[in-house]
Amino acid sequence: MADAENLWSTRPASALRAGPEVDLATLDRSATPGWEGGKNEARTFMAARGRLLSELQERLFAHGRSGGDRSVLLIVQGLDTAGKGGIVRHVVGMVDPQGVALRAFGVPTAEERRHHYLWRVRRALPRPGLIGVFDRSHYEDVLVARVDGTVEEDALPRRFSEINRFERQIAASGTTIVKVALLVSYEEQGLRLMKRLDRPDKHWKYDPGDVDTRRDWDAYQAAYADVLARTSTDVAPWHVVPVDRKWYARLAVTELLTQALVDLDLDWPRPRWRVDAQKRRLAATMSEESLQQAAANAEEEIAAYHQDEAEFAAAVARADTSPGPSGPAPGPAGDPGEQDGQDDGGASPSGGRSDVAGEPPARTTAAGRAKKNRKNKNGRETTARAQETRTTKRQKHKKDDRGSTSAAGGRKKSAAAGRKKSAAAGRKKSAKNSSGKKTR
Ligand code: AMP
Ligand code: MG
């Protein structure tokens, strides 16, 4: 798995993370925060990341197949032409579609309208082992619903707190939430809509209502700013992605998704049966000739396995050394609406998987997750044996390491110290900010 040059000077998880104050008026939507290269470098790097992403996804899928409880949910929000479809096609499209649960949310159907607005969302949550992708989401219920006036202004605080609590439950039941707000500039949106009108093969993407939405631009910007400020929590932070350069948006979301999977730190699950016993059973059904052939293949297969594993470990190590701080201070401290005690119908998220009432909120730090994994009640995720294997692996990485420091401040406790080779060098580069240019 040859790796292209990693030109992230600041991980997008840090560079794009929404703080407590989000000033969309000054956000440069053609900026490329954290990325020191251009489009060509991005293309090469994304291809390499795609291979890693795909391998990580296979591990997640295997984990889900063997009783694990982890999943990932990518929530993609953005106005028309922001490139939501492009993210699905070019980023999510790099992994095995079997492992993806994609759901696009449109205007609620008659049936959906009869239920609480989170009802349809809950039903679409990814099962363990899957990467769920929401093209639009429950956030439409505090965006378009707000701008169109179907939800009153004074009902918004309650919705924000419901959403925060909902996402906290989802996170606590094993889902890593990655939220991306795709921010296109007014000018670029105009150009992209006009292109849809110019090209008959793009007419299907155009909706006359898009121009009505565009007319409400300022109201949408204000609604987005509120969403970003009120619903960026420690367990489900928002990432503000400038999308006027499509290649950057795709690169950034690829990196966010890859890092989320790296942070899960999943090994291949251990089978519940004995390999040698199964080999004997199978052998009893095979001809002498086939057995000889299998024996001849075995060495090659084992070597291929070791090589794949080594390449994967190296790619993860490089991904994990992405320089930059451990992440900014969490956005809004705590959850402003958590005390409201509002209920949204009471059903548990994730199709009834949640058994987390009263549990402390899940944390997004790898250290926190590692801790959670260790104390996982049902023990499916991290058996003592698997833990041991991981520790051994980590020690192995450590041995390989020549230039590591712990200056990253324990960013990823479960990551090998040996994965930090280039971190010190990269940290010297200053974090770039994405603001500074009026977009309208
Ligand atoms: P598209 O993503 O272009 O297929 O469009 C989907 C449309 O559904 C957009 O105009 C959204 O604003 C609209 N939509 C999605 N969710 C909701 C919702 N909860 N309430 C009202 N409109 C919605
Ligand atoms: Mg549309």
Side-chain angles (χ1 to χ4, degrees):
M1 204 191 301
D3 216 24
E5 199 179 356
N6 185 347
L7 295 172
W8 285 109
S9 62
T10 307
R11 292 152 66 95
S14 304
L16 302 179
R17 184 161 172 173
E21 297 287 327
V22 184
D23 186 3
L24 293 185
T26 57
L27 177 75
D28 179 0
R29 292 150 199 240
S30 60
T32 61
W35 178 251
E36 301 294 313
K39 186 177 180 175
N40 288 338
E41 293 88 348
R43 186 177 295 145
T44 319
F45 187 69
M46 215 174 123
R49 270 295 184 267
R51 290 189 290 277
L52 176 59
L53 185 61
S54 170
E55 299 222 358
L56 287 160
Q57 182 264 336
E58 192 182 345
R59 277 170 162 76
L60 175 63
F61 193 76
H63 164 88
R65 274 291 172 86
S66 41
D69 66 350
R70 307 308 305 261
S71 60
V72 172
L73 175 60
L74 175 67
I75 298 180
V76 187
Q77 274 295 150
L79 292 175
D80 296 304
T81 75
K84 299 182 294 294
I87 295 293
V88 172
R89 192 161 55 250
H90 296 280
V91 178
V92 181
M94 293 192 291
V95 309
D96 184 348
Q98 275 190 98
V100 174
L102 170 68
R103 172 70 200 268
F105 291 96
V107 178
T109 62
E111 188 190 17
E112 287 168 351
R113 277 201 305 276
R114 282 196 293 274
H115 294 271
H116 188 274
Y117 68 95
L118 291 176
W119 179 77
R120 65 177 185 167
V121 180
R122 199 169 264 129
R123 290 159 57 93
L125 290 172
R127 291 194 316 278
L130 297 187
I131 297 177
V133 182
F134 285 178
D135 171 345
R136 302 187 191 264
S137 64
H138 43 295
Y139 285 102
E140 291 296 324
D141 294 283
V142 283
L143 291 166
V144 63
R146 176 182 189 171
V147 174
D148 287 355
T150 54
V151 56
E152 299 296 329
E153 287 290 317
D154 57 11
L156 286 168
R158 175 188 163 143
R159 287 209 169 179
F160 287 142
S161 72
E162 276 174 350
I163 288 172
N164 287 340
R165 195 174 58 254
F166 173 62
E167 291 181 354
R168 194 172 288 282
Q169 286 175 343
I170 297 171
S173 66
T175 302
T176 299
I177 302 172
V178 180
K179 298 194 295 203
V180 294
L182 308 182
L183 274 300
V184 67
S185 71
Y186 189 70
E187 291 77 12
E188 181 67 17
Q189 188 192 49
L191 291 170
R192 289 183 186 179
L193 285 172
M194 192 58 84
K195 178 177 169 182
R196 290 180 182 182
L197 288 170
D198 282 337
R199 295 191 53 141
D201 62 335
K202 302 291 178 200
H203 285 174
W204 67 271
K205 286 191 183 186
Y206 184 83
D207 182 329
D210 295 351
V211 178
D212 301 308
T213 304
R214 180 171 164 80
R215 286 214 194 99
D216 291 327
W217 182 266
D218 290 333
Y220 273 104
Q221 298 305 304
Y224 265 92
D226 266 1
V227 161
L228 297 172
R230 298 295 308 275
T231 61
S232 198
T233 59
D234 55 348
V235 294
W238 273 108
H239 299 95
V240 180
V241 187
V243 301
D244 280 9
R245 297 178 205 249
K246 287 181 181 175
W247 61 263
Y248 174 79
R250 294 165 188 175
L251 175 75
V253 178
T254 299
E255 192 65 12
L256 287 168
L257 202 52
T258 304
Q259 293 294 341
L261 283 156
V262 166
D263 284 350
L264 289 181
D265 199 18
L266 297 176
D267 263 326
W268 294 118
R270 288 182 174 262
R272 291 176 181 148
W273 31 264
R274 291 179 56 102
V275 176
D276 49 0
Q278 293 304 315
K279 273 192 177 171
R280 280 195 299 274
R281 283 186 66 216
L282 177 60
T285 70
M286 291 168 70
S287 71
E288 197 52 46
E289 198 186 354
S290 291
L291 282 173
Q292 272 168 16
Q293 168 107 49
N297 291 345
E299 203 173 316
E300 208 173 300
E301 294 297 343
I302 290 166
Y305 159 74
H306 284 298
Q307 187 175 341
D308 288 352
E309 288 297 295
E311 284 176 7
F312 174 76
V316 167
R318 282 192 297 271
D320 210 29
T321 50
S322 299
S326 58
D335 169 7
E338 202 68 350
Q339 295 92 335
D340 290 12
Q342 305 289 356
D343 208 285
D344 57 300
S348 67
S350 318
R353 287 192 282 124
S354 174
D355 56 351
V356 295
E359 266 202 16
R363 293 169 46 82
T364 44
T365 62
R369 271 193 298 276
K371 205 161 138 196
K372 178 170 177 278
N373 291 347
R374 278 193 297 278
K375 68 169 193 179
N376 192 325
K377 284 183 218 136
N378 54 25
R380 287 175 309 193
E381 156 93 22
T382 308
T383 61
R385 200 166 46 156
Q387 196 67 40
E388 201 179 294
T389 311
R390 258 175 239 172
T391 310
T392 318
K393 251 173 129 182
R394 266 177 244 140
Q395 281 161 350
K396 202 173 90 209
H397 277 297
K398 205 163 190 168
K399 251 196 341 212
D400 294 343
D401 180 36
R402 282 174 295 274
S404 84
T405 70
S406 59
R411 176 172 58 79
K412 186 168 177 3
K413 191 173 164 190
S414 60
R419 298 173 184 178
K420 309 222 181 270
K421 278 180 213 162
S422 67
R427 270 194 300 278
K428 285 184 197 144
K429 291 188 182 178
S430 62
K432 278 241 168 120
N433 208 315
S434 56
S435 64
K437 199 166 160 192
K438 279 235 178 276
T439 53
R440 201 186 167 189

